[in-house]
Amino acid sequence: MTENTSKNIKFTCRDVRVSYSGKEAVKGIDIEIADRSVTAFIGPSGCGKSSFLRVFNRMNDTIPGCAVTGDIRMDGEDIYAPGLDPVLLRARVGMVFQKPNPFPKSIYDNVAYGPRIHGLAESKADLDEIVHNSLKRAGLWDEVKDRLKDSGTGLSGGQQQRLVIARAIAVSPEVILMDEPASALDPIATAKLEVLIEELKEKFCIVIVTHSMAQAARISQKTAFFHMGDLVEYDETDQIFTNPAELRTQDYIMGRTG
Ligand SMILES: Nc1ncnc2c1ncn2[C@@H]1O[C@H](COP(=O)(O)OP(=O)(O)OP(=O)(O)O)[C@@H](O)[C@H]1O
Ligand SMILES: [Mg+2]
């Protein structure tokens, strides 16, 4: 069991800190994130969930004044090592944001963008296949197959979010980070997205920030509860929601704080 578990670890973090202009927002996190599974980050607004999520693909590097320290390894490799190219890292660790952000390009070009810049397709036929497969896996193909030349920004919010996921999948990432991906979606689009996440976890490591505890309970295997920059509790999702060890976790999931 132990051996099995350690083989299944995608990320290992030791004493990870994130600060903005010297003010610490994430205060020394130790965590291991499993591969091929969904890990949920929950906690009150401002507790550092997004700041910590951005550690995994070095998106914090793009924020002026933001500093990250500690040891962060992906498959044992230090992703903050001097020679490591963050652009290549971000192809391996994709990200989906709260607000769907398709490029102002056609549906086809949105998905083809990453494979083109990373040189993943040798021919037009190759590229067509990547676009087709990515849209299919994102659960969007049937809805858009007859209008691939239309603008991605003309889709509904839920469709845009699935388009963004197709765009992320197209470069064959290993990890998909999602920061409140359903918060702008209606219940039907949210349900579709949750089914999709359920399927994606067979292939990818998924880390999702959500304010919906029902959503965390439905889709994740492990849940991490953050509070004021600390990781208060990290356990099997069932355990967190039925029998949390910490009072602060209990108060939050019972709606007494947050
Ligand atoms: N770009 C930034 N510049 C300065 N401070 C920031 C920046 N982003 C976040 N912070 C600060 O870091 C702390 C954690 O913010 P973060 O966005 O990570 O929290 P969060 O848990 O994702 O909150 P929410 O649930 O509201 O999205 C907050 O005090 C916030 O003000
Ligand atoms: Mg956030």
Side-chain angles (χ1 to χ4, degrees):
M1 182 67 195
T2 316
E3 198 189 61
N4 216 350
T5 314
S6 66
K7 249 194 259 169
N8 192 33
I9 299 297
K10 191 68 185 170
F11 291 103
T12 310
C13 296
R14 293 287 170 256
D15 196 27
V16 173
R17 293 167 192 273
V18 181
S19 60
Y20 299 96
S21 309
K23 194 169 176 293
E24 214 163 70
V26 171
K27 301 173 179 167
I29 306 278
D30 293 326
I31 199 170
E32 287 177 343
I33 308 275
D35 200 3
R36 289 165 201 258
S37 104
V38 181
T39 302
F41 289 176
I42 63 167
S45 186
C47 68
K49 302 178 297 295
S50 298
S51 301
F52 187 54
L53 190 71
R54 289 193 293 263
V55 159
F56 297 103
N57 68 347
R58 293 186 52 172
M59 281 298 277
N60 286 323
D61 293 17
T62 65
I63 300 175
C66 185
V68 176
T69 62
D71 190 62
I72 303 119
R73 288 175 189 269
M74 177 169 162
D75 296 330
E77 179 192 9
D78 177 3
I79 60 170
Y80 284 74
L84 193 129
D85 181 352
V87 175
L88 293 181
L89 175 69
R90 287 177 205 132
R92 295 172 67 194
V93 186
M95 194 159 197
V96 174
F97 299 90
Q98 179 168 8
K99 209 166 149 274
N101 60 346
F103 303 138
K105 292 171 179 292
S106 70
I107 293 168
Y108 184 96
D109 285 341
N110 261 276
V111 184
Y113 180 83
R116 276 190 183 123
I117 60 168
H118 291 288
L120 301 182
E122 296 202 337
S123 62
K124 174 77 167 72
D126 269 3
L127 194 59
D128 286 352
E129 192 177 324
I130 294 174
V131 170
H132 172 244
N133 286 342
S134 306
L135 286 167
K136 208 160 175 92
R137 282 167 80 184
L140 190 60
W141 175 251
D142 289 337
E143 287 158 73
V144 301
K145 61 176 188 275
D146 300 322
R147 47 173 171 149
L148 295 175
K149 291 200 168 98
D150 292 1
S151 176
T153 54
L155 296 171
S156 76
Q159 289 172 328
Q160 287 187 22
Q161 204 56 308
R162 281 177 284 143
L163 177 62
V164 171
I165 290 171
R167 186 176 72 193
I169 295 173
V171 291
S172 300
E174 296 156 48
V175 182
I176 304 177
L177 310 173
M178 301 188 177
D179 197 347
E180 300 183 47
S183 65
L185 306 184
D186 70 19
I188 292 170
T190 299
K192 278 193 184 171
L193 182 68
E194 290 184 4
V195 170
L196 171 59
I197 291 170
E198 196 75 51
E199 288 166 9
L200 293 176
K201 80 161 191 291
E202 304 299 325
K203 284 261 162 73
F204 304 99
C205 165
I206 296 181
V207 187
I208 179 170
V209 172
T210 178
H211 275 282
S212 162
M213 283 178 272
Q215 180 169 71
R218 280 194 298 268
I219 64 172
S220 72
Q221 283 68 58
K222 291 196 91 170
T223 295
F225 170 64
F226 294 85
H227 189 243
M228 295 171 70
D230 293 317
L231 174 59
V232 174
E233 192 166 347
Y234 181 46
D235 212 328
E236 305 294 326
T237 294
D238 286 350
Q239 183 72 20
I240 294 280
F241 288 106
T242 57
N243 191 19
E246 300 288 329
L247 189 61
R248 279 191 288 174
T249 315
Q250 210 172 345
D251 284 348
Y252 181 70
I253 63 170
M254 302 287 280
R256 287 193 286 259
T257 54

